[in-house]
Amino acid sequence: MKNAIVIVVFLFFMKPILPVMDYVFNYEYIVKELCENKAKPEMQCNGKCYLMKEMAKTSENDNPVSSDKKASHHEFEVLYLTAIGNYDIVGLQEPISSEVNADYSNLYFLEKTVSFFHPPSSIA
C-alpha cells in the first residue's frame, strides 16, 4: 500500500517533467519530424518549439479553470459509524460511606478576612 502511494505521488510530481524526458529520449525524431522550424536551420531550434508546446499543454492540463468557466465546487460529508458495545450498569457492592476523611480535612486551610475593600467615593 505504501509503495502504491509513493508511486502515485512520484508520478504526480513527475508530470511536468514528462515532456522534457520525452524530448530527451526522442530527440532525433523530434528534430527531424516534429520541429516546426526545420526549414530554418539558422534558428537552431532543434525541436525546442515542440518541447515548449508540450510543456504548455501540460500546464494547461494542470490548471483547467479558465476565465470563461467557473469551477464547480462540491462538498461531501462523510460519516463514519461504529457499533457501540452492549454495556450493563451494575450496582455497587459496598455502601458508600458518608464519613469525611479526617487526614484530608486537616490539610485544608481557609483564612477568613473581616475587612472588605471599599472603592473611594467620587466627588463629582
Side-chain angles (χ1 to χ4, degrees):
M1 182 67 180
K2 288 182 182 179
N3 291 339
I5 293 172
V6 169
I7 291 170
V8 169
V9 170
F10 179 73
L11 290 176
F12 179 73
F13 285 115
M14 288 295 292
K15 187 177 179 184
I17 300 173
L18 290 177
V20 176
M21 291 175 59
D22 181 43
Y23 176 76
V24 170
F25 291 128
N26 299 321
Y27 178 77
E28 294 296 326
Y29 174 73
I30 291 172
V31 170
K32 290 179 183 176
E33 300 294 326
L34 301 177
C35 182
E36 296 175 358
N37 298 322
K38 58 186 170 188
K40 302 175 187 175
E42 65 274 359
M43 290 184 69
Q44 297 179 350
C45 177
N46 297 331
K48 292 177 188 165
C49 54
Y50 174 78
L51 175 62
M52 292 301 155
K53 283 186 176 183
E54 290 298 313
M55 290 176 72
K57 285 181 189 176
T58 304
S59 67
E60 282 179 9
N61 291 341
D62 289 344
N63 301 324
V65 179
S66 64
S67 60
D68 299 340
K69 300 177 186 176
K70 291 184 178 179
S72 61
H73 180 71
H74 301 286
E75 288 187 17
F76 295 101
E77 187 171 334
V78 180
L79 300 175
Y80 294 99
L81 301 176
T82 58
I84 298 175
N86 193 8
Y87 298 103
D88 295 330
I89 299 175
V90 179
L92 296 173
Q93 300 296 331
E94 299 176 9
I96 299 174
S97 172
S98 62
E99 296 177 14
V100 177
N101 188 352
D103 294 333
Y104 177 75
S105 297
N106 289 337
L107 296 175
Y108 183 74
F109 176 73
L110 174 65
E111 182 179 345
K112 293 183 179 181
T113 58
V114 179
S115 64
F116 292 100
F117 174 74
H118 295 287
S121 60
S122 61
I123 302 178

